[in-house]
Amino acid sequence: MSTENRQKIIVANWKMYKTIGETAEFIKELIQELSEQSPSVYLAVPFTAIKTASDLAEGNDIVIGAQNMNDASEGAFTGEIAGRMLKDAGAKFVILGHSERRQIYKESNAFINRKVKRAIKDDLQAILCVGETLEEREEGTTQEILNKQITECLEGVDVSELNKIILAYEPIWAIGTGKTATPEMAEEAHQFCRQSLKNISNKETADSISILYGGSVKPDNAKGLMEQPDIDGLLVGGASLSLDSFFKIVNDSGSESKK
Ligand code: 13P
C-alpha cells in the first residue's frame, strides 16, 4: 500500500474549553515551538475564538477550524452556525460527526451526511468521526458499525471530492476514559476503515485519505500509535489543552508526511 502522499496531521479538539484570551496565549507559544519538521497542526477551537486564532495562525503552519456546523447555508435555526460563517471567520476545516454530537445531541448519519456535503460546498475540509461503543465492540459489531457510519455519512459525495475528507476513528469507549486502543487494535480498525473507503471509491483515493486516531491520546502513547502504517494522525482532546502535553504529542509524531 502506498502511504507516500498521506499528510500527517495532529488535531487538537478543544471541545468547550478556552476563551479568546487563552486561545491567543496558547497559539503564540505554540508558534515558538513548531519547526519545519513538525507534522501539520490543526486546532479545532471554540466558535468565538476562530477569528483571533486564524489571524494569529496566518503564515505559521497552524490550521484553524471548528468543531461543528449546521447543514443549511443560512436560515431560522436559533443557536446554529453555518459553514460559510466559519469560513468567513477564518476556519479551514470542521469536525463533523463527533461521538459527543452523535450521543448527546442525537445526530444521525443522514444529518452528518448533509453537513459533510455542505462543508465541501463551503470549501471547508471535513474531519468525519466514526467509532463504536464498548457494547458494540463486545458484541463483535465494530466493523459493521464503522462501515455503516462511513458509507452513510459519505453517501453521494463524489469520488473526486473525497480527498477533501479526513477520517477520524474514535472508539467511544476510549474517549476521555484514559483507555486507549492498543496500536494494534487501532491499526486493525484503520485498515478496515480504509477498506470501507475503497469500497465507495477506489484504491488510489482510499490510500490518499488521512485517517486519524482519537481517544485518550497522551504523550506516552502517541509515538506507538503513529508508528502504525494506517494511522496518519491523531485527534487529541484532553491532552491538547496544555501546550506542554500537546507539543510532546506533536513532537513524537515525526515529520511531515507518512513514509
Ligand atoms: P480525549 O483525548 O480527551 O479522550 O478526547 C478524544 C476526542 O474526543 C477527540 O475528538
Side-chain angles (χ1 to χ4, degrees):
M1 177 184 295
S2 164
T3 57
E4 299 287 314
N5 301 325
R6 286 208 298 273
Q7 202 190 352
K8 260 195 191 178
I9 309 167
I10 309 301
V11 185
N13 175 9
W14 282 353
K15 307 191 180 184
M16 203 171 71
Y17 293 97
K18 293 198 191 289
T19 60
I20 296 172
E22 289 160 353
T23 301
E25 194 184 331
F26 185 103
I27 294 176
K28 283 182 200 155
E29 286 178 32
L30 180 62
I31 289 169
Q32 306 301 317
E33 304 278 354
L34 294 176
S35 74
E36 286 190 357
Q37 274 70 50
S38 302
S40 302
V41 172
Y42 283 37
L43 304 180
V45 304
F47 294 140
T48 47
I50 292 174
K51 177 80 176 99
T52 302
S54 67
D55 287 350
L56 284 169
E58 183 91 43
N60 281 301
D61 279 343
I62 298 172
V63 184
I64 303 300
Q67 304 165 19
N68 183 33
M69 60 177 260
N70 192 263
D71 64 325
S73 66
E74 60 183 2
F77 303 108
T78 303
E80 288 292 293
I81 193 139
R84 57 194 205 90
M85 295 167 182
L86 300 177
K87 185 85 192 166
D88 185 44
K92 303 266 190 317
F93 75 94
V94 60
I95 295 176
L96 296 175
H98 191 280
S99 64
E100 286 151 16
R101 303 290 323 169
R102 292 176 186 267
Q103 295 204 308
I104 306 169
Y105 302 103
K106 309 291 173 223
E107 291 192 5
S108 66
N109 287 337
F111 187 36
I112 297 161
N113 176 242
R114 293 198 298 277
K115 295 186 189 209
V116 168
K117 289 180 184 157
R118 177 66 64 189
I120 293 172
K121 266 196 203 136
D122 289 337
D123 195 26
L124 288 163
Q125 196 173 19
I127 301 184
L128 171 65
C129 301
V130 297
E132 79 287 1
T133 61
L134 183 60
E135 202 182 14
E136 288 159 348
R137 177 158 281 268
E138 285 173 352
E139 280 169 357
T141 55
T142 298
Q143 295 194 345
E144 197 183 306
I145 292 295
L146 294 177
N147 189 52
K148 189 171 160 62
Q149 289 175 339
I150 291 170
T151 311
E152 292 183 5
C153 292
L154 294 177
E155 198 194 313
V157 176
D158 198 89
V159 172
S160 66
E161 303 210 285
L162 278 176
N163 59 358
K164 297 187 181 141
I165 307 288
I166 295 169
L167 197 69
Y169 168 62
E170 296 207 304
I172 294 167
W173 47 269
I175 296 177
T177 58
K179 287 185 200 155
T180 334
T182 63
E184 293 71 27
M185 276 163 87
E187 171 64 15
E188 191 190 352
H190 280 228
Q191 279 181 14
F192 180 80
C193 289
R194 205 174 295 289
Q195 182 59 44
S196 256
L197 289 170
K198 192 170 142 192
N199 294 344
I200 57 166
S201 60
N202 52 57
K203 183 172 182 331
E204 198 192 349
T205 304
D207 279 347
S208 71
I209 296 174
S210 294
I211 307 182
L212 318 179
Y213 169 81
S216 295
V217 173
K218 304 278 180 267
D220 63 1
N221 58 26
K223 190 162 185 283
L225 288 159
M226 286 300 286
E227 279 168 359
Q228 299 296 319
D230 283 279
I231 300 183
D232 307 307
L234 303 167
L235 182 47
V236 190
S240 73
L241 294 170
S242 107
L243 184 67
D244 189 43
S245 58
F246 184 60
F247 186 66
K248 278 197 189 114
I249 292 170
V250 170
N251 225 8
D252 272 3
S253 298
S255 59
E256 249 167 77
S257 61
K258 191 90 191 175
K259 296 262 164 59

